[in-house]
Amino acid sequence: MVGADLIDKYFNLDELQSKQFEALGALYKDWNDKINVISRKDIDNLYIKHVLHSLSIAMFTEFQNGADILDLGTGGGFPGVPMAIMFPEVNFTLIDGTKKKLTVVDSVCESLRIENIKTKHVRAEDLKMTFDFVITRAVAPCEKLFYWSKKLISKQQQHALPNGIIALKGGDLRTELKALPKGIFYEEQNISDFFEEDFFEEKQIIYIQT
Ligand code: SAH
């Protein structure tokens, strides 16, 4: 398995962060034997396909201390868990409509003493809170994410990048981007500009202003 040193290659980590990233591999492997949090064929590539992929958001933008970030449809904790390790002073709320995988997230947070994550078993449509940004991976097409997130994103701006959605996406996005309401500003960023591993060749970040 490619290990946590992959994260060191791209980010300056302090001792606690290094330890937390290092421990993630074994923790998820253990949990995956009990609950299928990550597809079985991907677990050996956890650091590339899940941890580093999640952290492409940290290459795209920084979050300020005290910011509130929502991971919409976090599943087993991606991108929320790696991002919370990377930004320990930022508040992360990780939601999912399915409870089972959230118990894994809670347990991972407890084991690693990650204190800036709250999990909530709720669908995005029913959540009544606001955030600076929504981050998300592999949940829904952009237009759905946009309609769900509109009421979840605060009008108060505290970052250079205006509040909005930062979605990890792959493949041909033309149809879903066309389906966004007219006049909405969005930007596409190739993750291969940040990371050289082949896995990122067709992977993108879509940033949508709300
Ligand atoms: N983001 C994770 C999981 C992706 S699977 C990862 O990339 O590994 C998609 C997840 O989104 C599922 O766990 C599903 O329960 C959740 N989901 C889908 N629609 C949702 C909604 N409207 N509100 C909350 N969670 C949702």
Side-chain angles (χ1 to χ4, degrees), residues 5-46:
D5 43 346
L6 183 67
I7 313 304
D8 267 324
K9 176 173 160 189
Y10 293 108
F11 295 94
N12 285 323
L13 304 172
D14 65 25
E15 204 177 319
L16 177 64
Q17 289 169 319
S18 293
K19 278 196 180 142
Q20 289 173 324
F21 280 124
E22 240 171 77
L24 274 185
L27 272 178
Y28 274 105
K29 223 179 171 121
D30 236 37
W31 269 107
N32 230 39
D33 293 340
K34 295 180 226 160
I35 297 179
N36 200 14
V37 243
I38 290 167
S39 103
R40 294 254 145 86
K41 67 177 179 11
D42 278 358
I43 188 75
D44 286 338
N45 291 311
L46 180 94

mmCIF file of all heavy atoms in Angstrom, residues 5-46:
data_model
loop_
_atom_site.group_PDB
_atom_site.id
_atom_site.type_symbol
_atom_site.label_atom_id
_atom_site.label_comp_id
_atom_site.label_asym_id
_atom_site.label_seq_id
_atom_site.Cartn_x
_atom_site.Cartn_y
_atom_site.Cartn_z
ATOM 1 N N ASP A 5 3.305 8.674 3.536
ATOM 2 C CA ASP A 5 4.387 9.520 3.011
ATOM 3 C C ASP A 5 3.950 10.263 1.751
ATOM 4 O O ASP A 5 4.486 11.309 1.402
ATOM 5 C CB ASP A 5 5.651 8.691 2.740
ATOM 6 C CG ASP A 5 5.339 7.363 2.074
ATOM 7 O OD1 ASP A 5 4.143 6.976 2.062
ATOM 8 O OD2 ASP A 5 6.266 6.726 1.550
ATOM 9 N N LEU A 6 2.930 9.720 1.101
ATOM 10 C CA LEU A 6 2.375 10.382 -0.084
ATOM 11 C C LEU A 6 1.814 11.766 0.280
ATOM 12 O O LEU A 6 1.880 12.702 -0.512
ATOM 13 C CB LEU A 6 1.252 9.507 -0.655
ATOM 14 C CG LEU A 6 0.602 9.994 -1.936
ATOM 15 C CD1 LEU A 6 1.580 9.936 -3.091
ATOM 16 C CD2 LEU A 6 -0.620 9.150 -2.254
ATOM 17 N N ILE A 7 1.275 11.870 1.460
ATOM 18 C CA ILE A 7 0.689 13.146 1.894
ATOM 19 C C ILE A 7 1.815 14.153 2.181
ATOM 20 O O ILE A 7 1.735 15.321 1.808
ATOM 21 C CB ILE A 7 -0.210 12.965 3.152
ATOM 22 C CG1 ILE A 7 -1.161 11.763 2.984
ATOM 23 C CG2 ILE A 7 -0.982 14.240 3.472
ATOM 24 C CD1 ILE A 7 -2.041 11.797 1.768
ATOM 25 N N ASP A 8 2.891 13.631 2.799
ATOM 26 C CA ASP A 8 4.083 14.444 3.075
ATOM 27 C C ASP A 8 4.694 15.038 1.817
ATOM 28 O O ASP A 8 5.317 16.092 1.855
ATOM 29 C CB ASP A 8 5.173 13.557 3.710
ATOM 30 C CG ASP A 8 5.103 13.590 5.215
ATOM 31 O OD1 ASP A 8 4.800 14.660 5.749
ATOM 32 O OD2 ASP A 8 5.345 12.535 5.828
ATOM 33 N N LYS A 9 4.533 14.322 0.732
ATOM 34 C CA LYS A 9 5.117 14.754 -0.547
ATOM 35 C C LYS A 9 4.529 16.098 -0.986
ATOM 36 O O LYS A 9 5.190 16.885 -1.649
ATOM 37 C CB LYS A 9 4.813 13.650 -1.574
ATOM 38 C CG LYS A 9 5.236 13.914 -2.991
ATOM 39 C CD LYS A 9 5.007 12.639 -3.815
ATOM 40 C CE LYS A 9 4.929 12.928 -5.293
ATOM 41 N NZ LYS A 9 4.513 11.765 -6.076
ATOM 42 N N TYR A 10 3.296 16.347 -0.626
ATOM 43 C CA TYR A 10 2.622 17.553 -1.117
ATOM 44 C C TYR A 10 2.315 18.595 -0.049
ATOM 45 O O TYR A 10 2.003 19.727 -0.380
ATOM 46 C CB TYR A 10 1.309 17.168 -1.810
ATOM 47 C CG TYR A 10 1.511 16.397 -3.089
ATOM 48 C CD1 TYR A 10 1.228 15.032 -3.171
ATOM 49 C CD2 TYR A 10 1.991 17.035 -4.226
ATOM 50 C CE1 TYR A 10 1.405 14.324 -4.351
ATOM 51 C CE2 TYR A 10 2.179 16.346 -5.410
ATOM 52 C CZ TYR A 10 1.879 14.992 -5.463
ATOM 53 O OH TYR A 10 2.069 14.299 -6.632
ATOM 54 N N PHE A 11 2.323 18.183 1.226
ATOM 55 C CA PHE A 11 1.902 19.119 2.279
ATOM 56 C C PHE A 11 2.926 19.153 3.410
ATOM 57 O O PHE A 11 3.562 18.146 3.702
ATOM 58 C CB PHE A 11 0.547 18.684 2.867
ATOM 59 C CG PHE A 11 -0.587 18.749 1.876
ATOM 60 C CD1 PHE A 11 -0.950 17.618 1.140
ATOM 61 C CD2 PHE A 11 -1.287 19.932 1.669
ATOM 62 C CE1 PHE A 11 -1.990 17.670 0.217
ATOM 63 C CE2 PHE A 11 -2.329 19.990 0.745
ATOM 64 C CZ PHE A 11 -2.690 18.857 0.026
ATOM 65 N N ASN A 12 3.065 20.326 4.007
ATOM 66 C CA ASN A 12 3.885 20.461 5.212
ATOM 67 C C ASN A 12 3.027 20.114 6.412
ATOM 68 O O ASN A 12 2.157 20.883 6.785
ATOM 69 C CB ASN A 12 4.370 21.907 5.381
ATOM 70 C CG ASN A 12 5.484 22.209 4.417
ATOM 71 O OD1 ASN A 12 6.328 21.342 4.151
ATOM 72 N ND2 ASN A 12 5.475 23.415 3.869
ATOM 73 N N LEU A 13 3.296 18.980 7.006
ATOM 74 C CA LEU A 13 2.448 18.520 8.100
ATOM 75 C C LEU A 13 3.172 18.691 9.424
ATOM 76 O O LEU A 13 4.394 18.527 9.483
ATOM 77 C CB LEU A 13 2.119 17.040 7.917
ATOM 78 C CG LEU A 13 1.472 16.646 6.589
ATOM 79 C CD1 LEU A 13 1.384 15.125 6.483
ATOM 80 C CD2 LEU A 13 0.080 17.269 6.454
ATOM 81 N N ASP A 14 2.426 19.009 10.479
ATOM 82 C CA ASP A 14 3.064 18.986 11.794
ATOM 83 C C ASP A 14 3.004 17.550 12.327
ATOM 84 O O ASP A 14 2.456 16.653 11.681
ATOM 85 C CB ASP A 14 2.454 20.026 12.747
ATOM 86 C CG ASP A 14 1.001 19.746 13.082
ATOM 87 O OD1 ASP A 14 0.586 18.578 12.999
ATOM 88 O OD2 ASP A 14 0.273 20.693 13.423
ATOM 89 N N GLU A 15 3.564 17.365 13.514
ATOM 90 C CA GLU A 15 3.705 16.006 14.030
ATOM 91 C C GLU A 15 2.355 15.313 14.226
ATOM 92 O O GLU A 15 2.183 14.147 13.870
ATOM 93 C CB GLU A 15 4.444 16.080 15.369
ATOM 94 C CG GLU A 15 5.154 14.803 15.720
ATOM 95 C CD GLU A 15 5.933 14.963 17.009
ATOM 96 O OE1 GLU A 15 6.551 16.036 17.198
ATOM 97 O OE2 GLU A 15 5.886 14.044 17.824
ATOM 98 N N LEU A 16 1.398 16.065 14.768
ATOM 99 C CA LEU A 16 0.081 15.488 15.025
ATOM 100 C C LEU A 16 -0.595 15.085 13.710
ATOM 101 O O LEU A 16 -1.137 13.978 13.586
ATOM 102 C CB LEU A 16 -0.803 16.488 15.790
ATOM 103 C CG LEU A 16 -2.233 16.029 16.048
ATOM 104 C CD1 LEU A 16 -2.256 14.790 16.954
ATOM 105 C CD2 LEU A 16 -3.075 17.150 16.688
ATOM 106 N N GLN A 17 -0.527 15.967 12.740
ATOM 107 C CA GLN A 17 -1.142 15.656 11.438
ATOM 108 C C GLN A 17 -0.505 14.409 10.817
ATOM 109 O O GLN A 17 -1.203 13.543 10.292
ATOM 110 C CB GLN A 17 -1.001 16.844 10.480
ATOM 111 C CG GLN A 17 -1.877 18.029 10.857
ATOM 112 C CD GLN A 17 -1.527 19.266 10.060
ATOM 113 O OE1 GLN A 17 -0.344 19.559 9.829
ATOM 114 N NE2 GLN A 17 -2.538 19.998 9.639
ATOM 115 N N SER A 18 0.835 14.327 10.868
ATOM 116 C CA SER A 18 1.520 13.156 10.305
ATOM 117 C C SER A 18 1.038 11.885 10.984
ATOM 118 O O SER A 18 0.750 10.886 10.325
ATOM 119 C CB SER A 18 3.030 13.237 10.512
ATOM 120 O OG SER A 18 3.549 14.278 9.768
ATOM 121 N N LYS A 19 0.937 11.943 12.298
ATOM 122 C CA LYS A 19 0.489 10.759 13.047
ATOM 123 C C LYS A 19 -0.935 10.394 12.679
ATOM 124 O O LYS A 19 -1.268 9.219 12.529
ATOM 125 C CB LYS A 19 0.558 11.041 14.549
ATOM 126 C CG LYS A 19 1.934 10.859 15.106
ATOM 127 C CD LYS A 19 1.880 10.759 16.627
ATOM 128 C CE LYS A 19 3.291 10.582 17.173
ATOM 129 N NZ LYS A 19 3.493 11.302 18.416
ATOM 130 N N GLN A 20 -1.780 11.397 12.569
ATOM 131 C CA GLN A 20 -3.188 11.133 12.250
ATOM 132 C C GLN A 20 -3.321 10.530 10.855
ATOM 133 O O GLN A 20 -4.020 9.539 10.662
ATOM 134 C CB GLN A 20 -4.014 12.415 12.391
ATOM 135 C CG GLN A 20 -4.184 12.819 13.850
ATOM 136 C CD GLN A 20 -4.840 14.177 14.023
ATOM 137 O OE1 GLN A 20 -4.601 15.091 13.231
ATOM 138 N NE2 GLN A 20 -5.643 14.331 15.059
ATOM 139 N N PHE A 21 -2.618 11.112 9.889
ATOM 140 C CA PHE A 21 -2.704 10.553 8.530
ATOM 141 C C PHE A 21 -2.153 9.123 8.497
ATOM 142 O O PHE A 21 -2.707 8.251 7.839
ATOM 143 C CB PHE A 21 -1.961 11.441 7.521
ATOM 144 C CG PHE A 21 -2.769 12.644 7.108
ATOM 145 C CD1 PHE A 21 -2.270 13.931 7.249
ATOM 146 C CD2 PHE A 21 -4.041 12.493 6.560
ATOM 147 C CE1 PHE A 21 -3.028 15.043 6.884
ATOM 148 C CE2 PHE A 21 -4.808 13.596 6.187
ATOM 149 C CZ PHE A 21 -4.293 14.866 6.354
ATOM 150 N N GLU A 22 -1.043 8.923 9.219
ATOM 151 C CA GLU A 22 -0.449 7.588 9.240
ATOM 152 C C GLU A 22 -1.415 6.545 9.785
ATOM 153 O O GLU A 22 -1.490 5.427 9.292
ATOM 154 C CB GLU A 22 0.792 7.621 10.130
ATOM 155 C CG GLU A 22 2.056 7.253 9.398
ATOM 156 C CD GLU A 22 3.229 7.521 10.294
ATOM 157 O OE1 GLU A 22 3.468 6.700 11.206
ATOM 158 O OE2 GLU A 22 3.864 8.571 10.088
ATOM 159 N N ALA A 23 -2.157 6.935 10.813
ATOM 160 C CA ALA A 23 -3.043 5.981 11.480
ATOM 161 C C ALA A 23 -4.308 5.681 10.667
ATOM 162 O O ALA A 23 -4.948 4.641 10.879
ATOM 163 C CB ALA A 23 -3.424 6.525 12.855
ATOM 164 N N LEU A 24 -4.660 6.574 9.757
ATOM 165 C CA LEU A 24 -5.912 6.397 9.000
ATOM 166 C C LEU A 24 -5.973 5.065 8.259
ATOM 167 O O LEU A 24 -7.011 4.396 8.244
ATOM 168 C CB LEU A 24 -6.064 7.511 7.951
ATOM 169 C CG LEU A 24 -6.697 8.830 8.370
ATOM 170 C CD1 LEU A 24 -6.852 9.722 7.141
ATOM 171 C CD2 LEU A 24 -8.047 8.604 9.031
ATOM 172 N N GLY A 25 -4.856 4.688 7.638
ATOM 173 C CA GLY A 25 -4.827 3.494 6.795
ATOM 174 C C GLY A 25 -5.292 2.258 7.538
ATOM 175 O O GLY A 25 -6.222 1.563 7.108
ATOM 176 N N ALA A 26 -4.661 2.003 8.687
ATOM 177 C CA ALA A 26 -4.990 0.795 9.455
ATOM 178 C C ALA A 26 -6.410 0.868 9.999
ATOM 179 O O ALA A 26 -7.131 -0.131 10.013
ATOM 180 C CB ALA A 26 -3.987 0.626 10.592
ATOM 181 N N LEU A 27 -6.823 2.067 10.429
ATOM 182 C CA LEU A 27 -8.175 2.222 10.987
ATOM 183 C C LEU A 27 -9.244 1.889 9.951
ATOM 184 O O LEU A 27 -10.183 1.135 10.220
ATOM 185 C CB LEU A 27 -8.385 3.665 11.444
ATOM 186 C CG LEU A 27 -7.969 4.017 12.858
ATOM 187 C CD1 LEU A 27 -8.201 5.506 13.102
ATOM 188 C CD2 LEU A 27 -8.765 3.200 13.867
ATOM 189 N N TYR A 28 -9.102 2.456 8.764
ATOM 190 C CA TYR A 28 -10.100 2.195 7.718
ATOM 191 C C TYR A 28 -10.061 0.745 7.253
ATOM 192 O O TYR A 28 -11.085 0.163 6.939
ATOM 193 C CB TYR A 28 -9.930 3.161 6.534
ATOM 194 C CG TYR A 28 -10.666 4.465 6.758
ATOM 195 C CD1 TYR A 28 -9.983 5.622 7.082
ATOM 196 C CD2 TYR A 28 -12.060 4.528 6.670
ATOM 197 C CE1 TYR A 28 -10.664 6.818 7.306
ATOM 198 C CE2 TYR A 28 -12.746 5.714 6.885
ATOM 199 C CZ TYR A 28 -12.043 6.859 7.208
ATOM 200 O OH TYR A 28 -12.728 8.034 7.427
ATOM 201 N N LYS A 29 -8.868 0.178 7.212
ATOM 202 C CA LYS A 29 -8.752 -1.217 6.804
ATOM 203 C C LYS A 29 -9.523 -2.103 7.778
ATOM 204 O O LYS A 29 -10.278 -2.998 7.382
ATOM 205 C CB LYS A 29 -7.274 -1.618 6.777
ATOM 206 C CG LYS A 29 -6.961 -2.439 5.561
ATOM 207 C CD LYS A 29 -5.512 -2.826 5.488
ATOM 208 C CE LYS A 29 -5.428 -3.817 4.361
ATOM 209 N NZ LYS A 29 -4.629 -3.555 3.291
ATOM 210 N N ASP A 30 -9.326 -1.817 9.040
ATOM 211 C CA ASP A 30 -10.019 -2.554 10.106
ATOM 212 C C ASP A 30 -11.533 -2.434 9.969
ATOM 213 O O ASP A 30 -12.255 -3.425 9.996
ATOM 214 C CB ASP A 30 -9.628 -1.901 11.432
ATOM 215 C CG ASP A 30 -9.040 -2.906 12.367
ATOM 216 O OD1 ASP A 30 -8.325 -3.793 11.869
ATOM 217 O OD2 ASP A 30 -9.302 -2.797 13.580
ATOM 218 N N TRP A 31 -11.985 -1.202 9.821
ATOM 219 C CA TRP A 31 -13.431 -0.956 9.718
ATOM 220 C C TRP A 31 -14.011 -1.583 8.463
ATOM 221 O O TRP A 31 -15.126 -2.079 8.452
ATOM 222 C CB TRP A 31 -13.730 0.552 9.726
ATOM 223 C CG TRP A 31 -13.956 1.027 11.113
ATOM 224 C CD1 TRP A 31 -13.113 1.798 11.870
ATOM 225 C CD2 TRP A 31 -15.095 0.744 11.934
ATOM 226 N NE1 TRP A 31 -13.661 2.015 13.105
ATOM 227 C CE2 TRP A 31 -14.878 1.378 13.175
ATOM 228 C CE3 TRP A 31 -16.279 0.020 11.753
ATOM 229 C CZ2 TRP A 31 -15.799 1.311 14.222
ATOM 230 C CZ3 TRP A 31 -17.190 -0.053 12.790
ATOM 231 C CH2 TRP A 31 -16.948 0.590 14.004
ATOM 232 N N ASN A 32 -13.227 -1.552 7.388
ATOM 233 C CA ASN A 32 -13.732 -2.073 6.119
ATOM 234 C C ASN A 32 -13.989 -3.576 6.170
ATOM 235 O O ASN A 32 -14.803 -4.085 5.420
ATOM 236 C CB ASN A 32 -12.757 -1.749 4.980
ATOM 237 C CG ASN A 32 -13.484 -1.112 3.823
ATOM 238 O OD1 ASN A 32 -14.380 -0.294 4.041
ATOM 239 N ND2 ASN A 32 -13.141 -1.492 2.614
ATOM 240 N N ASP A 33 -13.297 -4.250 7.082
ATOM 241 C CA ASP A 33 -13.561 -5.678 7.248
ATOM 242 C C ASP A 33 -14.929 -5.897 7.894
ATOM 243 O O ASP A 33 -15.533 -6.946 7.746
ATOM 244 C CB ASP A 33 -12.469 -6.337 8.108
ATOM 245 C CG ASP A 33 -11.127 -6.335 7.371
ATOM 246 O OD1 ASP A 33 -11.141 -6.201 6.130
ATOM 247 O OD2 ASP A 33 -10.088 -6.443 8.030
ATOM 248 N N LYS A 34 -15.403 -4.883 8.654
ATOM 249 C CA LYS A 34 -16.696 -5.023 9.347
ATOM 250 C C LYS A 34 -17.833 -4.395 8.545
ATOM 251 O O LYS A 34 -18.882 -4.988 8.358
ATOM 252 C CB LYS A 34 -16.623 -4.331 10.718
ATOM 253 C CG LYS A 34 -15.639 -4.977 11.666
ATOM 254 C CD LYS A 34 -15.610 -4.246 13.001
ATOM 255 C CE LYS A 34 -14.180 -4.006 13.445
ATOM 256 N NZ LYS A 34 -13.997 -2.975 14.418
ATOM 257 N N ILE A 35 -17.625 -3.175 8.120
ATOM 258 C CA ILE A 35 -18.641 -2.445 7.345
ATOM 259 C C ILE A 35 -17.964 -2.014 6.053
ATOM 260 O O ILE A 35 -16.858 -1.496 6.090
ATOM 261 C CB ILE A 35 -19.092 -1.165 8.102
ATOM 262 C CG1 ILE A 35 -19.759 -1.517 9.428
ATOM 263 C CG2 ILE A 35 -20.006 -0.312 7.243
ATOM 264 C CD1 ILE A 35 -20.210 -0.292 10.221
ATOM 265 N N ASN A 36 -18.642 -2.184 4.940
ATOM 266 C CA ASN A 36 -18.011 -1.803 3.684
ATOM 267 C C ASN A 36 -18.068 -0.283 3.494
ATOM 268 O O ASN A 36 -18.951 0.242 2.839
ATOM 269 C CB ASN A 36 -18.729 -2.530 2.544
ATOM 270 C CG ASN A 36 -17.875 -2.594 1.298
ATOM 271 O OD1 ASN A 36 -16.671 -2.327 1.357
ATOM 272 N ND2 ASN A 36 -18.487 -2.938 0.193
ATOM 273 N N VAL A 37 -17.095 0.418 4.093
ATOM 274 C CA VAL A 37 -17.116 1.886 3.972
ATOM 275 C C VAL A 37 -16.530 2.361 2.658
ATOM 276 O O VAL A 37 -16.906 3.386 2.117
ATOM 277 C CB VAL A 37 -16.295 2.605 5.088
ATOM 278 C CG1 VAL A 37 -17.175 3.466 5.930
ATOM 279 C CG2 VAL A 37 -15.467 1.675 5.918
ATOM 280 N N ILE A 38 -15.560 1.618 2.197
ATOM 281 C CA ILE A 38 -14.838 1.981 0.971
ATOM 282 C C ILE A 38 -14.862 0.747 0.094
ATOM 283 O O ILE A 38 -14.764 -0.363 0.615
ATOM 284 C CB ILE A 38 -13.376 2.331 1.322
ATOM 285 C CG1 ILE A 38 -13.326 3.653 2.097
ATOM 286 C CG2 ILE A 38 -12.501 2.386 0.104
ATOM 287 C CD1 ILE A 38 -11.993 3.896 2.719
ATOM 288 N N SER A 39 -14.983 0.937 -1.210
ATOM 289 C CA SER A 39 -15.058 -0.252 -2.059
ATOM 290 C C SER A 39 -13.806 -1.117 -1.827
ATOM 291 O O SER A 39 -12.697 -0.601 -1.691
ATOM 292 C CB SER A 39 -15.211 0.156 -3.527
ATOM 293 O OG SER A 39 -14.003 0.007 -4.196
ATOM 294 N N ARG A 40 -14.015 -2.430 -1.716
ATOM 295 C CA ARG A 40 -12.925 -3.346 -1.317
ATOM 296 C C ARG A 40 -11.704 -3.224 -2.221
ATOM 297 O O ARG A 40 -10.570 -3.312 -1.759
ATOM 298 C CB ARG A 40 -13.427 -4.798 -1.312
ATOM 299 C CG ARG A 40 -14.491 -5.053 -0.239
ATOM 300 C CD ARG A 40 -13.931 -5.848 0.945
ATOM 301 N NE ARG A 40 -14.538 -5.424 2.210
ATOM 302 C CZ ARG A 40 -15.683 -5.887 2.707
ATOM 303 N NH1 ARG A 40 -16.352 -6.816 2.063
ATOM 304 N NH2 ARG A 40 -16.153 -5.409 3.856
ATOM 305 N N LYS A 41 -11.944 -2.959 -3.487
ATOM 306 C CA LYS A 41 -10.796 -2.900 -4.404
ATOM 307 C C LYS A 41 -9.995 -1.595 -4.222
ATOM 308 O O LYS A 41 -8.875 -1.498 -4.677
ATOM 309 C CB LYS A 41 -11.239 -3.088 -5.862
ATOM 310 C CG LYS A 41 -12.088 -1.981 -6.429
ATOM 311 C CD LYS A 41 -12.389 -2.285 -7.902
ATOM 312 C CE LYS A 41 -13.252 -1.277 -8.626
ATOM 313 N NZ LYS A 41 -13.579 0.000 -8.088
ATOM 314 N N ASP A 42 -10.584 -0.631 -3.538
ATOM 315 C CA ASP A 42 -9.908 0.657 -3.345
ATOM 316 C C ASP A 42 -9.131 0.763 -2.039
ATOM 317 O O ASP A 42 -8.314 1.658 -1.884
ATOM 318 C CB ASP A 42 -10.934 1.798 -3.351
ATOM 319 C CG ASP A 42 -11.301 2.216 -4.759
ATOM 320 O OD1 ASP A 42 -10.740 1.641 -5.710
ATOM 321 O OD2 ASP A 42 -12.160 3.101 -4.900
ATOM 322 N N ILE A 43 -9.393 -0.149 -1.109
ATOM 323 C CA ILE A 43 -8.848 0.055 0.229
ATOM 324 C C ILE A 43 -7.315 0.057 0.240
ATOM 325 O O ILE A 43 -6.690 0.804 0.982
ATOM 326 C CB ILE A 43 -9.445 -0.948 1.269
ATOM 327 C CG1 ILE A 43 -9.016 -0.614 2.705
ATOM 328 C CG2 ILE A 43 -9.129 -2.394 0.928
ATOM 329 C CD1 ILE A 43 -9.713 0.560 3.310
ATOM 330 N N ASP A 44 -6.701 -0.719 -0.667
ATOM 331 C CA ASP A 44 -5.240 -0.726 -0.718
ATOM 332 C C ASP A 44 -4.673 0.578 -1.286
ATOM 333 O O ASP A 44 -3.489 0.849 -1.164
ATOM 334 C CB ASP A 44 -4.733 -1.916 -1.538
ATOM 335 C CG ASP A 44 -4.883 -3.217 -0.754
ATOM 336 O OD1 ASP A 44 -4.964 -3.138 0.491
ATOM 337 O OD2 ASP A 44 -4.932 -4.279 -1.387
ATOM 338 N N ASN A 45 -5.531 1.322 -1.934
ATOM 339 C CA ASN A 45 -5.085 2.605 -2.471
ATOM 340 C C ASN A 45 -5.690 3.774 -1.707
ATOM 341 O O ASN A 45 -5.885 4.854 -2.253
ATOM 342 C CB ASN A 45 -5.466 2.729 -3.945
ATOM 343 C CG ASN A 45 -4.667 1.770 -4.794
ATOM 344 O OD1 ASN A 45 -3.446 1.719 -4.665
ATOM 345 N ND2 ASN A 45 -5.338 1.010 -5.622
ATOM 346 N N LEU A 46 -5.975 3.522 -0.445
ATOM 347 C CA LEU A 46 -6.658 4.537 0.375
ATOM 348 C C LEU A 46 -5.987 5.908 0.300
ATOM 349 O O LEU A 46 -6.663 6.928 0.179
ATOM 350 C CB LEU A 46 -6.694 4.068 1.840
ATOM 351 C CG LEU A 46 -7.375 5.052 2.780
ATOM 352 C CD1 LEU A 46 -8.847 4.689 2.929
ATOM 353 C CD2 LEU A 46 -6.711 5.089 4.137
#
